Amino acid sequence: MAEEKELRYDPAVIETKWQQRWAEDPSLYAAEPAGCGKPKYYVLEMLPYPSGQLHMGHVRNYSIGDALARHMWMRGYNVLHPMGWDAFGLPAENAALKNHTPPRQWTLANIDAMKRQMQRLGLGYDWATEVTTCLPEYYRWNQWFFLRMVEKGLAYRKKSKVNWCPDCATVLANEQVVNGCCWRHEETIVEQRDLVQWFLRITAYADELLDGLDTLEGWPEKVRTMQRNWIGRSEGTEVDFTVEGSAEKIRVFTTRVDTIFGATSVQLAPEHPIVKDFAATNAELRAGVDKLIDEQKRAREAGDLGAIEKHGVATGRFALNPYNGARVPIWVANYILMDYGTGAIMSVPGHDERDFEFATKYGIEVQRVIAPGAGNSDEPSLPFTSEDGVLVNSGIYDGMSCEAAQKQLQDLAASKGFGQATVTYRLKDWGVSRQRYWGTPIPMIHCDRDGLVPVPDDQLPVLLPEQVEITQQGGSPLGRVADFVHVKCPRCGGDARRETDTMDTFVDSSWYFYRYTDAKNSKAPFDPAAAQYWFPIDQYIGGVEHAILHLIYSRFWTKVMRDLGLVRNDEPAQRLFTQGMVIKDGAKMSKSKGNVVSPDDMVARYGADATRMYALFAAPPDRDLDWQEDGVAGVSRFLGRVWRLASRYAPLAKSRRGESAPVPQGVALKLLRKMHQTTAKITQDFEGRWHFNTCVAAIMELVNDMQAADAQLAAGEVPAPVLYDLLRTLVLLLAPFAPYLAAELWQAIGEDGAVLRAPWPVSDPDLAKEDKLEIPVQVNGKLVTVVRVASNADRAAMEAAAQKDEKVQARIAGKTVAKIIAVQGKLVNLVVK
RNA sequence: GCGGAAGUGGUGAAAUGGCAAACACACUAGCCUUAGGAGCUAGCGCCCAAAAGGCUUGCGGGUUCAAGUCCCGCCUUCCGCACCA
């Protein structure tokens, strides 16, 4: 049968054809100017690192975003749907070492390859706004922002303990250390080094970053919680204890100043500066402290600070409690961290579990200073950590509530000058220096006479030199480029040296989505008016792994830009969606697991539409997705059925599309009804739940119904105009999920223009409504039968129909019907005794 | 330890408190044929030889006319946090 051969769905042919047409007409996916009169919609997916290969995680992320963008286009919005490249970073240097390809060349070639993959997938991006972060046109604005931050005191240099990844041969920000290991080298323990580094003062926005989370109702609660934990705000009190026989003071931080009368020791972090003084004349103490430092370091490196066994050494010195003059021993303990609070605590074993454990071990006194509140006379065993109680053994504060006592003790400390209320954060300033080549040069100059001098704005960008030899030696590779390093001081004109560190690549991704709104601007990072039109992002879509990295940095950056007067929004993204991982054989798809499925391979075998549609069909988007190739084949077969069905009936339908049809009946009515139900379901899902898996299933049901009616369709039982309506709506519903096939069939049914410009179908509730309903009938909650009633049947009619039924009769014979529950349109339940 | 998510057929999964397993994959049987990774038809949770019937959403309780769904307790898995004073 020769004609059967023609009826073969060949995605390669269809998809290449449309890919070419779309390439020829970039306006299809282009954002329109602000004055276009349509409401705006900014849908954004996280930009990829150009490794050279898209992986399935990308395909999933971008299929979700593209479906949404297409839907919004069809809903008549002015959609901004951009894409770019997070193009700086270490892999380019590693590749340079391995294949002697310059990082720039390697990166741009990868971008080329990945862009082709995206285009092959049919993702509808506005490539006119493409952003590539490793190009000077982009990174000069990183430098510009950096200078603004220097001016505002938000960028500064200091020596401190920093995280050093030996594999990256560079420092890392705290956010980039995961369980004591490098976020890129999961097996590599991050070392602590003392280095002078550049920091961005993200802590200046700590409270705003925390409070702003409450306004981000469109963000997953999980991400908000992670950010709250990361910021780690804690209100408390700082109190100075005097060192006995010395003028020195030890400042402690506590959240429970109300328990201070129960402080029976002061505990110092092993690296506390005063410990060094104590140990200077005490070799035994020095040895003990060194051991504690070592224990702490090892625990930190094991990423298991929480499990460290508590050890301590007594210093032999004593401290005086400023509230009552009590004399308590000073200890050094391995569970006290120098980088939190003041690096010193007052130990209250009666009311803190950790202090209790330590005190018990070393025979330190335990005192009760909090008792349960009035009307509760029993004395709970120590440690009693509740804040719901009253003070005892605390002098004039006895009987006061914990909360009231805290306030009074803080006021006293403040008025006497030995302490005050403070807030402590876990969040630290963002260390942005990297001792690497392939990043944005930090635009600063070191002059012996003038110190640190910013590069003047008119000398930006500080260009990253080409032809740099990449080695694995320590120190920044830029330091070995004489031409780069030697520079005249902009202030005094004398010989000076450039800063040779580059910026963390998370700087690039902290504001890239603003650049999309005005990507070609050479005078400013972007036009504030453009940003104001498009921002905030209506829907951001990406992986949850960036919850405390990119997603906190970019919130910070937005607030800085707002304070610079560049934007008016406080937050970058109104709504955030984090899609689940792609799993295969029970593990996350990854090279190291060897379970990677290549998108190219899938596209070659089954086509882009099938690959994308499977990524949406196999699981709801927020859940993990199990990749099964048979499933992709199944979706491909489905698309084949759609194609054949449409091809078979398109000629007839389109030739008589304008004719008026009689009121549909029989199979025509049935199909029309299904069509309106499907439209309603999918429309609803785009507006809310985003269960695209069931959207695809609904389209399958519609197609199954149409196919089951094939004989009637062939016999002309469905009037041509109705048939046309069915096919047309099917294509429209398919368009966000299978754009290639939709474009092809749109043409096949004789429509002009792009399906993307056609309005999204509207479901008619009257036509969606069934005329007869099957109502389940239960007796005592157990299903007995199903009765058919008119869809508008009231409860009485339903009850009557149920009681008339033979099976029900048999079941209730000889019993008393105590009660009948009838829910209109739902069910009837007879309660019998 | 704290917080969050999840646990449903052989598999991926579906179900505003109202017929559990839609839609698909795999499998079985049949048809067709240009022998394909194609198409079509039928079957497919478990127990019982079949029917009739009974059972079934990790486990145990509860609320309700009615619970996969709500409440309480527990188990398991995954994710985040974890001596943060």
Side-chain angles (χ1 to χ4, degrees):
Chain A
M1 300 203 318
E3 57 182 31
E4 279 298 319
K5 189 170 187 176
E6 276 165 41
L7 292 178
R8 189 169 193 115
Y9 169 60
D10 189 348
V13 171
I14 296 169
E15 295 179 0
T16 334
K17 166 180 155 190
W18 288 100
Q19 196 189 327
Q20 255 169 32
R21 300 219 181 159
W22 293 340
E24 283 159 16
D25 180 18
S27 73
L28 189 59
Y29 303 119
E32 295 176 57
C36 66
K38 300 176 183 173
K40 69 94 183 177
Y41 196 87
Y42 189 174
V43 53
L44 179 71
E45 299 117 48
M46 290 182 184
L47 85 179
Y49 177 79
S51 61
Q53 273 286 316
L54 283 183
H55 54 69
M56 279 305 171
H58 292 129
V59 172
R60 188 177 195 200
N61 187 176
Y62 303 154
S63 299
I64 295 167
D66 201 47
L68 178 64
R70 286 173 188 275
H71 175 74
M72 295 314 279
W73 266 308
M74 295 172 78
R75 294 287 285 265
Y77 284 82
N78 180 22
V79 177
L80 177 58
H81 189 218
M83 186 40 69
W85 312 97
D86 187 16
F88 271 138
L90 205 49
E93 289 183 57
N94 295 336
L97 266 171
K98 210 165 133 192
N99 335 312
H100 307 286
T101 322
R104 183 188 158 99
Q105 189 189 320
W106 182 83
T107 304
L108 295 181
N110 285 349
I111 288 174
D112 226 50
M114 288 173 77
K115 192 169 170 178
R116 270 203 305 273
Q117 285 183 298
M118 288 180 179
Q119 286 168 335
R120 180 64 190 84
L121 279 165
L123 297 167
Y125 296 122
D126 182 357
W127 290 108
T129 66
E130 181 178 4
V131 163
T132 303
T133 62
C134 68
L135 299 178
E137 298 81 59
Y138 184 81
Y139 71 69
R140 69 174 294 172
W141 301 112
N142 286 345
Q143 296 172 338
W144 185 87
F145 279 120
F146 191 89
L147 294 173
R148 299 293 84 75
M149 291 200 205
V150 169
E151 288 163 5
K152 300 193 82 169
L154 291 171
Y156 66 95
R157 221 163 95 98
K158 74 169 179 194
K159 182 172 180 176
S160 77
K161 275 224 179 325
V162 292
N163 312 297
W164 179 269
C165 171
D167 273 2
C168 296
T170 184
V171 299
L172 300 175
N174 292 342
E175 289 80 7
Q176 292 153 32
V177 179
V178 180
N179 290 330
C181 293
C182 173
W183 71 302
R184 289 279 99 137
H185 303 97
E186 286 175 24
E187 307 293 313
T188 306
I189 291 167
V190 170
E191 301 165 7
Q192 299 298 304
R193 291 197 181 178
D194 275 305
L195 287 172
V196 181
Q197 297 285 297
W198 285 97
F199 288 86
L200 299 185
R201 209 178 293 280
I202 191 170
T203 54
Y205 290 89
D207 275 327
E208 213 200 318
L209 288 167
L210 182 66
D211 296 341
L213 292 171
D214 295 334
T215 71
L216 295 178
E217 281 157 19
W219 283 41
E221 194 51 51
K222 179 187 166 91
V223 173
R224 297 201 279 173
T225 305
M226 283 169 76
Q227 291 207 358
R228 273 189 203 107
N229 289 341
W230 186 256
I231 294 167
R233 183 188 149 102
S234 167
E235 289 182 18
T237 315
E238 287 184 3
V239 179
D240 290 329
F241 279 66
T242 316
V243 178
E244 189 186 49
S246 139
E248 296 235 50
K249 291 184 157 77
I250 294 171
R251 172 154 285 213
V252 304
F253 174 72
T254 177
T255 53
R256 292 296 307 277
V257 71
D258 52 306
T259 64
I260 198 163
F261 291 86
T264 53
S265 69
V266 163
Q267 302 284 343
L268 302 175
E271 295 183 82
H272 195 286
I274 207 166
V275 173
K276 224 171 242 162
D277 296 348
F278 292 167
T281 54
N282 184 340
E284 198 187 328
L285 177 59
R286 204 179 315 140
V289 169
D290 284 347
K291 212 178 141 214
L292 296 176
I293 291 177
D294 195 53
E295 285 172 5
Q296 224 174 44
K297 191 180 156 204
R298 270 205 307 250
R300 198 187 285 272
E301 287 180 352
D304 208 10
L305 220 46
I308 196 171
E309 196 188 331
K310 290 184 183 53
H311 286 131
V313 288
T315 61
R317 308 289 292 263
F318 289 84
L320 304 174
N321 184 332
Y323 286 100
N324 60 359
R327 182 174 179 267
V328 297
I330 304 174
W331 285 68
V332 182
N334 63 355
Y335 71 98
I336 309 302
L337 309 170
M338 193 57 225
D339 55 13
Y340 185 79
T342 59
I345 65 156
M346 63 177 202
S347 176
V348 185
H351 303 282
D352 182 284
E353 278 175 28
R354 297 153 300 174
D355 295 346
F356 184 84
E357 187 189 335
F358 189 88
T360 316
K361 184 164 183 171
Y362 289 100
I364 298 169
E365 202 188 334
V366 180
Q367 275 185 23
R368 173 188 302 278
V369 287
I370 307 290
N376 195 344
S377 56
D378 57 321
E379 292 220 320
S381 61
L382 298 178
F384 174 66
T385 58
S386 168
E387 245 175 289
D388 186 15
V390 296
L391 276 68
V392 293
N393 304 323
S394 301
I396 59 164
Y397 300 95
D398 280 1
M400 205 176 273
S401 75
C402 291
E403 199 187 332
Q406 284 176 15
K407 180 82 179 66
Q408 291 216 1
L409 289 159
Q410 281 171 349
D411 289 348
L412 182 68
S415 68
K416 294 271 173 98
F418 61 77
Q420 77 270 314
T422 63
V423 179
T424 302
Y425 300 90
R426 214 181 83 107
L427 179 73
K428 300 286 171 236
D429 279 340
W430 175 10
V432 291
S433 304
R434 295 291 178 273
Q435 291 69 48
R436 303 302 326 169
Y437 163 69
W438 193 232
T440 305
I442 291 176
M444 297 295 289
I445 290 168
H446 301 268
C447 172
D448 286 338
R449 196 176 328 176
D450 294 309
L452 272 172
V453 182
V455 173
D457 278 4
D458 59 12
Q459 290 175 29
L460 296 184
V462 176
L463 284 173
L464 198 56
E466 308 268 335
Q467 321 273 317
V468 173
E469 194 200 348
I470 311 287
T471 69
Q472 243 159 358
Q473 298 169 30
S476 171
L478 289 177
R480 293 186 293 273
V481 182
D483 283 359
F484 179 82
V485 175
H486 298 303
V487 67
K488 296 297 177 193
C489 169
R491 220 162 266 171
C492 69
D495 287 342
R497 285 158 292 115
R498 276 195 197 281
E499 170 65 59
T500 57
D501 280 357
T502 52
M503 295 183 203
D504 184 358
T505 57
F506 278 105
V507 168
D508 309 326
S509 53
S510 290
W511 67 279
Y512 74 102
F513 33 69
Y514 289 95
R515 182 74 180 171
Y516 284 142
T517 66
D518 190 17
K520 301 287 193 294
N521 198 324
S522 59
K523 301 279 186 291
F526 52 86
D527 175 4
Q532 205 191 321
Y533 173 71
W534 286 109
F535 272 78
I537 296 160
D538 294 277
Q539 183 66 63
Y540 199 13
I541 308 167
V544 75
E545 65 273 14
H546 285 109
I548 50 162
L549 289 156
H550 163 62
L551 288 170
I552 206 163
Y553 295 142
S554 53
R555 292 183 61 220
F556 159 65
W557 211 277
T558 288
K559 291 173 195 305
V560 171
M561 292 197 303
R562 179 202 58 201
D563 292 347
L564 287 169
L566 279 165
V567 303
R568 298 205 183 165
N569 47 299
D570 295 318
E571 297 285 348
Q574 201 59 235
R575 293 168 53 82
L576 171 72
F577 186 89
T578 52
Q579 88 270 6
M581 288 187 299
V582 180
I583 304 284
K584 181 144 191 298
D585 308 325
K588 180 180 176 172
M589 234 184 231
S590 76
K591 252 185 217 151
S592 58
K593 299 256 165 50
N595 58 354
V596 173
V597 176
S598 143
D600 282 349
D601 208 38
M602 288 296 115
V603 170
R605 285 174 200 219
Y606 306 104
D609 279 341
T611 304
R612 294 173 51 159
M613 203 154 160
Y614 174 74
L616 296 173
F617 176 62
D622 56 326
R623 291 248 291 265
D624 286 351
L625 180 151
D626 191 89
W627 195 272
Q628 295 182 13
E629 194 173 323
D630 286 335
V632 190
V635 172
S636 171
R637 284 198 295 268
F638 164 71
L639 293 175
R641 283 202 296 278
V642 174
W643 188 83
R644 280 191 302 276
L645 185 76
S647 304
R648 202 173 309 142
Y649 295 108
L652 170 68
K654 84 176 171 189
S655 67
R656 296 173 51 198
R657 68 179 126 162
E659 290 174 20
S660 60
V663 177
Q665 295 176 21
V667 73
L669 180 60
K670 237 181 84 189
L671 291 176
L672 211 54
R673 191 178 281 148
K674 184 75 178 176
M675 180 192 97
H676 281 277
Q677 288 167 352
T678 309
T679 303
K681 189 256 178 298
I682 295 174
T683 307
Q684 233 171 37
D685 251 297
F686 268 110
E687 284 164 3
R689 306 193 310 164
W690 277 28
H691 277 198
F692 299 136
N693 54 331
T694 58
C695 290
V696 174
I699 297 175
M700 289 173 169
E701 285 188 47
L702 175 62
V703 171
N704 289 350
D705 282 5
M706 288 171 73
Q707 201 179 320
D710 190 49
Q712 288 116 304
L713 293 178
E717 282 178 39
V718 173
V722 174
L723 186 56
Y724 178 75
D725 195 13
L726 284 167
L727 288 178
R728 188 176 187 278
T729 303
L730 172 61
V731 173
L732 290 170
L733 295 177
L734 214 46
F737 308 110
Y740 283 120
L741 183 60
E744 177 71 13
L745 296 181
W746 192 244
Q747 192 182 46
I749 62 171
E751 291 283 357
D752 296 325
V755 63
L756 211 56
R757 296 281 175 263
W760 184 254
V762 178
S763 172
D764 180 336
D766 289 335
L767 280 170
K769 212 163 141 193
E770 300 284 352
D771 55 355
K772 289 257 181 187
L773 289 180
E774 299 202 327
I775 299 292
V777 181
Q778 301 176 336
V779 172
N780 286 341
K782 279 190 170 288
L783 181 73
V784 173
T785 188
V786 173
V787 294
R788 282 177 69 84
V789 299
S791 67
N792 59 0
D794 61 10
R795 286 167 45 194
M798 288 169 61
E799 284 177 25
Q803 280 180 297
K804 217 167 60 190
D805 185 271
E806 279 174 28
K807 279 190 181 162
V808 175
Q809 292 275 331
R811 197 62 72 98
I812 62 176
K815 296 181 178 161
T816 319
V817 177
K819 196 174 171 189
I820 302 180
I821 317 279
V823 182
Q824 191 166 3
K826 290 286 182 197
L827 99 168
V828 178
N829 186 12
L830 293 90
V831 185
V832 300
K833 280 181 188 149

